[in-house]
Amino acid sequence: MERMEASTDRRARRQDVVVIGGGQAGLALGYHLRRAQRDTDFTYTLLDDQPGPGGAWRHGWDSLRLFSPAEWSSLPGWPLPRAQAERYPDGGAPEYPTRDDVLSYLSAFEARYELPVERPVAVTAVREGADGRLAVDTDRGAIEARAVISATGSWARPFVPEIPGREAFEGAQLHSAHYRTPAPFAGRRVLVIGGGNSGAQIAAELSKSARVTWVTLEPPRFLPEEVDGRVLFDRATARYAAIKAGEDPGRPYTLADIVQVAPVREARAAGRLSDDRRPPRAFTPRGVVWPDGSEESVDAVIWCTGFRPALDHLRPLGVIDDDGRVAVKGTRSVRDPRLWLVGYGSWVGFAAATLIGVGRSAKQTATEVAAFVGGTG
């Protein structure tokens, strides 16, 4: 495979396919593109802006746990190895891999399949190039490609809702994207704002050493202890099939429901997750105003409020809609058929933002891209 050399040559080079992003979606694409090369002669490369393997998983908090067992948290071709029990003294935890388990797996996956990842390479724009190609501008020069697959995910665009007075709040604020350990918050009054599994896990961890109030839009819904990512994926699959068949899908378990991994189960049993409230009406310089008008002093706020697709590099193509997404048919851009998008969520494929789900849309995309650059699609 052609690889980018560390040089000062700024002239554009050429690849048939450029994948932007080297996280889980990029690696799944790399795996399927590698397989597609058996039938179609083309070159491809993956551009990753991180200093090492792992994508967004490099930035997860230290104690983060998946809420699916290893066999339900794997990329195509090679299962994530089950964790060793002796590493987890809290009991039962080997069922749920940690952030470090995933990082090790993604690094090994990349090496196992000898994927042509170039890093660190920051993509600044995708624009019209020469001879009908797309030009991918990077901090190490331009690459002209016949097809581009954007797989940048959403970690670079954390979302924080607008609440009056938030900018005037004098305490610490950070998004879950940048939370790592509870140490800086020990003994402090902390709001964890946002439901879902990230909010639950961070609130559970902080509650051991800080005064935590967990803020959610609705009272948190804890799933039965036997329900984990396997069940969620199965239920979501059945719901997806029902919708496609025009049938009543019923109410599914969702990612807003809390999977009781060991740290959450422990915190709940100890009563440390019982102080949950609805979002504040406003912030003050030193705290918040609750919906009933009462005020409370707060030292810090951690926002577990999700992310938006990181697509600014595609703006020169004029393909981004008002909702911040790109109109697609399957994973292929409607406005520019040289562009595909993988891994951003359900709008580009069922369960496309999950480790196990991204493989399906990555396979479809690799097949289409190989046909396109091979002159048959």
Side-chain angles (χ1 to χ4, degrees):
M1 297 296 173
E2 182 183 4
R3 299 181 65 87
M4 179 179 289
E5 300 296 332
S7 73
T8 58
D9 186 355
R10 313 303 284 185
R11 293 175 298 175
R13 65 186 176 100
R14 289 194 164 187
Q15 286 277 354
D16 291 321
V17 182
V18 169
V19 178
I20 305 173
Q24 63 190 39
L27 297 188
L29 284 161
Y31 171 85
H32 284 296
L33 288 169
R34 183 175 183 267
R35 291 175 64 88
Q37 285 179 318
R38 299 172 182 175
D39 302 315
T40 306
D41 182 21
F42 65 92
T43 62
Y44 76 98
T45 192
L46 286 75
L47 307 180
D48 186 26
D49 65 356
Q50 298 299 303
W57 290 97
R58 298 176 60 85
H59 305 283
W61 60 95
D62 293 354
S63 66
L64 183 152
R65 296 224 178 172
L66 278 67
F67 48 82
S68 299
E71 58 267 31
W72 282 81
S73 306
S74 301
L75 293 177
W78 186 44
L80 191 160
R82 288 179 60 84
Q84 298 299 311
E86 58 266 24
R87 290 180 53 198
Y88 302 100
D90 52 349
E95 285 290 319
Y96 301 96
T98 67
R99 163 187 172 269
D100 289 345
D101 292 328
V102 177
L103 281 174
S104 295
Y105 167 67
L106 294 179
S107 179
F109 187 98
E110 183 179 310
R112 179 187 181 94
Y113 295 108
E114 300 179 328
L115 299 180
V117 182
E118 307 176 17
R119 65 167 60 91
V121 178
V123 172
T124 56
V126 180
R127 55 180 173 80
E128 192 66 41
D131 302 325
R133 291 174 174 251
L134 291 173
V136 181
D137 291 332
T138 83
D139 60 351
R140 295 174 64 182
I143 306 174
E144 291 188 340
R146 298 167 66 190
V148 170
I149 310 174
S150 185
T152 51
S154 58
W155 176 82
R157 285 200 63 203
F159 171 73
V160 175
E162 288 300 327
I163 297 178
R166 182 176 68 84
E167 298 296 333
F169 175 62
E170 297 173 356
Q173 293 188 65
L174 77 160
H175 194 275
S176 61
H178 306 109
Y179 171 81
R180 296 305 296 265
T181 76
F185 306 97
R188 305 179 74 186
R189 296 160 297 182
V190 182
L191 298 187
V192 176
I193 299 182
N197 287 279
S198 61
Q201 288 193 30
I202 290 175
E205 176 172 74
L206 283 170
S207 65
K208 291 182 178 181
S209 58
R211 292 167 51 190
V212 174
T213 298
W214 187 18
V215 177
T216 60
L217 286 174
E218 299 175 351
R221 173 175 158 165
F222 293 93
L223 295 170
E225 291 187 13
E226 68 273 13
V227 174
D228 59 18
R230 291 170 294 188
V231 177
L232 291 176
F233 192 82
D234 285 346
R235 296 284 179 91
T237 301
R239 176 178 170 82
Y240 179 75
I243 291 173
K244 289 190 70 174
E247 301 170 356
D248 180 7
R251 188 200 186 283
Y253 294 140
T254 73
L255 293 181
D257 299 331
I258 311 303
V259 176
Q260 297 196 63
V261 294
V264 172
R265 189 165 61 245
E266 175 202 359
R268 191 181 181 207
R272 300 201 313 269
L273 292 182
S274 58
D275 187 14
D276 68 277
R277 302 191 65 166
R278 307 295 74 77
R281 189 168 72 193
F283 278 89
T284 67
R286 298 184 180 276
V288 292
V289 180
W290 294 111
D292 62 5
S294 62
E295 297 189 22
E296 183 176 355
S297 296
V298 173
D299 297 313
V301 177
I302 299 177
W303 299 93
C304 301
T305 44
F307 301 81
R308 297 293 183 265
L311 299 176
D312 283 350
H313 57 289
L314 300 180
R315 292 198 179 281
L317 295 179
V319 296
I320 301 177
D321 291 333
D322 292 341
D323 63 359
R325 299 178 177 180
V326 174
V328 291
K329 183 177 181 181
T331 63
R332 193 174 191 175
S333 168
V334 172
R335 294 194 182 97
D336 194 323
R338 300 166 296 179
L339 173 69
W340 282 258
L341 297 97
V342 172
Y344 294 97
S346 59
W347 58 281
V348 291
F350 173 69
T354 65
L355 279 161
I356 192 172
V358 72
R360 182 181 303 175
S361 51
K363 181 178 182 180
Q364 168 198 339
T365 301
T367 300
E368 291 180 5
V369 168
F372 175 73
V373 298
T376 61

